[in-house]
C-alpha cells in the first residue's frame, strides 16, 4: 500500500476529533434542556396565572404537571451530580469546579487571550466555562430543592406532601381524607397559616432563582455561540457527537 493510500485512510480517524463529552453528559444536557423549556413554560403560566385567568383551584392541574416535570429535572440533575464522581475525566468535579491548582493562572491567561482575540485551547471546560457551569449547577440544585418543597405545600405531592398534609390538618384523619389540593377547606386555620408562612420565603427563593437561571442560561448560550463562531472549536457540535475536531 502506498504512503498516499495510508494517509487517505488515516484521515477520517483524525477528523473524528478528540473525545470530550461522554454519552451520560450529553444525555443529561439535552434532557435538561427539554426539562427547563417545559418548566419555564408551565412555571410562567403559574406565576402569571392571575393575568391569564387561572386562579385558585384551577391552578392545581398546572401545578401538578409542573411538579411532574420537576421530578424528571431533579432525577436528571441528581444523576449528573453523581456522575461527577464516577464519570469520564472531563465530567468529574476537578474539571467542573472553578478551584484547584493552576485555575487562577489559567483564568487570567484566558482573559488575556480573549482581550487579544487569541484562542485558548482547552479540551473540556475553559476556566470561565467552569465558573459558568458551577453557577448553573448551583442554581439548578436550589431550584430542584425548593421546587420539591413547594410541590408538597401546593398539591401535597411527594416527598414532602404527606408531611404538609398532616401539618395543615393537625393530623386529623377525617380532615386528611377530605383535604383537596388548592382548597382551604378541611384545614386547621392556624396550621394552614403557619404552613403558608413557612412556604413564603421558599417560594421567593424559587421565583428569584427562576429569573437568575434564565439570565444565566442566556449567558451560557451566548458564550457557546461566541466560542463556536469566533474560536471555531466545535463547542456545540461536540455536545451531539461527544467529540471536538482536533484541528480546531
Amino acid at each position: 500500500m502506498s504512503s498516499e493510500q495510508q494517509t487517505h485512510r488515516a484521515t477520517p480517524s483524525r477528523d473524528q476529533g478528540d473525545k470530550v463529552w461522554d454519552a451520560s453528559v450529553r444525555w443529561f444536557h439535552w434532557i435538561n434542556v427539554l426539562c427547563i423549556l417545559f418548566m419555564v413554560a408551565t412555571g410562567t403560566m403559574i406565576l402569571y396565572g392571575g393575568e391569564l385567568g387561572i386562579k385558585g383551584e384551577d391552578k392545581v392541574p398546572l401545578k401538578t404537571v409542573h411538579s411532574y416535570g420537576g421530578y424528571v429535572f431533579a432525577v436528571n440533575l441528581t444523576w449528573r451530580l453523581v456522575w461527577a464522581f464516577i464519570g469520564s475525566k472531563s465530567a468529574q468535579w476537578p474539571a467542573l469546579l472553578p478551584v484547584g491548582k493552576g485555575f487562577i493562572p489559567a483564568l487570567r491567561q484566558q482573559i488575556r487571550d480573549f482581550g487579544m482575540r487569541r484562542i485558548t485551547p482547552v479540551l473540556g471546560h475553559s476556566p470561565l466555562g467552569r465558573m459558568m457551569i458551577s453557577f448553573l449547577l448551583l442554581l439548578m440544585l436550589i431550584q430542584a430543592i425548593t421546587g420539591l418543597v413547594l410541590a408538597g405545600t401546593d398539591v401535597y405531592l411527594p416527598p414532602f406532601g404527606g408531611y404538609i398534609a398532616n401539618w395543615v390538618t393537625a393530623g386529623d384523619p377525617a380532615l386528611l381524607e377530605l383535604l383537596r389540593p388548592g382548597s382551604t377547606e378541611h384545614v386547621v386555620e392556624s396550621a394552614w397559616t403557619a404552613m403558608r408562612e413557612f412556604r413564603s420565603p421558599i417560594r421567593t427563593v424559587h421565583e428569584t432563582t427562576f429569573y437568575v437561571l434564565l439570565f444565566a442560561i442566556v449567558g451560557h448560550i451566548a458564550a457557546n455561540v461566541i466560542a463556536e463562531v469566533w474560536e471555531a472549536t466545535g463547542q456545540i457540535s461536540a455536545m451531539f457527537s461527544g467529540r471536538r475536531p482536533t484541528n480546531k
Side-chain angles (χ1 to χ4, degrees), residues 66-99:
H66 183 77
S67 298
Y68 288 156
Y71 289 142
V72 178
F73 173 79
V75 169
N76 190 48
L77 177 60
T78 300
W79 172 245
R80 180 63 186 93
L81 299 179
V82 170
W83 193 246
F85 290 101
I86 62 176
S88 60
K89 186 176 180 180
S90 62
Q92 293 186 10
W93 290 119
L96 290 177
L97 298 178
V99 294

Side-chain angles (χ1 to χ4, degrees), residues 38-56 58-60 62-63 66 143 150 154 199-200 202-212 214:
F38 178 79
M39 303 296 283
V40 166
T42 54
T44 301
M45 292 173 68
I46 293 170
L47 194 58
Y48 297 100
E51 291 81 352
L52 297 172
I54 308 172
K55 299 179 179 180
D58 294 337
K59 282 188 178 182
V60 171
L62 189 57
K63 288 181 176 181
H66 183 77
Q143 203 68 349
L150 290 176
D154 283 337
R199 174 184 182 274
S200 181
I202 297 174
R203 178 184 174 182
T204 300
V205 171
H206 193 71
E207 291 180 2
T208 303
T209 306
F210 168 76
Y211 289 116
V212 176
L214 286 183

Side-chain angles (χ1 to χ4, degrees), residues 11-19 241 243-246:
T11 301
S13 177
R14 289 198 303 269
D15 289 344
Q16 288 179 359
D18 297 315
K19 187 173 182 180
S241 67
R243 293 181 178 276
R244 192 171 294 174
T246 55

Side-chain angles (χ1 to χ4, degrees), residues 67-209:
S67 298
Y68 288 156
Y71 289 142
V72 178
F73 173 79
V75 169
N76 190 48
L77 177 60
T78 300
W79 172 245
R80 180 63 186 93
L81 299 179
V82 170
W83 193 246
F85 290 101
I86 62 176
S88 60
K89 186 176 180 180
S90 62
Q92 293 186 10
W93 290 119
L96 290 177
L97 298 178
V99 294
K101 184 179 180 181
F103 174 77
I104 296 301
L107 176 62
R108 290 172 178 166
Q109 184 63 51
Q110 184 181 8
I111 293 172
R112 283 196 297 268
D113 287 349
F114 186 80
M116 299 176 68
R117 295 189 61 81
R118 292 193 310 223
I119 296 174
T120 306
V122 179
L123 184 58
H125 290 299
S126 69
L128 287 172
R130 287 161 65 177
M131 294 174 66
M132 174 58 79
I133 293 300
S134 296
F135 186 51
L136 285 170
L137 288 174
L138 176 61
L139 291 175
M140 289 188 289
L141 184 60
I142 293 171
Q143 203 68 349
I145 292 171
T146 55
L148 289 173
V149 175
L150 290 176
T153 63
D154 283 337
V155 284
Y156 308 119
L157 288 174
F160 304 109
Y163 172 78
I164 300 296
N166 273 284
W167 184 3
V168 298
T169 59
D172 187 327
L175 292 177
L176 193 58
E177 187 175 346
L178 296 171
L179 185 66
R180 298 195 316 273
S183 174
T184 55
E185 297 179 358
H186 313 297
V187 300
V188 175
E189 187 174 349
S190 60
W192 172 264
T193 301
M195 185 274 286
R196 299 297 285 186
E197 290 175 353
F198 163 79
R199 174 184 182 274
S200 181
I202 297 174
R203 178 184 174 182
T204 300
V205 171
H206 193 71
E207 291 180 2
T208 303
T209 306

Side-chain angles (χ1 to χ4, degrees), residues 24-34 76 220 239:
S24 189
V25 169
R26 301 198 308 275
W27 274 104
F28 159 76
H29 182 273
W30 295 115
I31 291 173
N32 198 52
V33 168
L34 294 176
N76 190 48
H220 174 64
M239 195 50 74

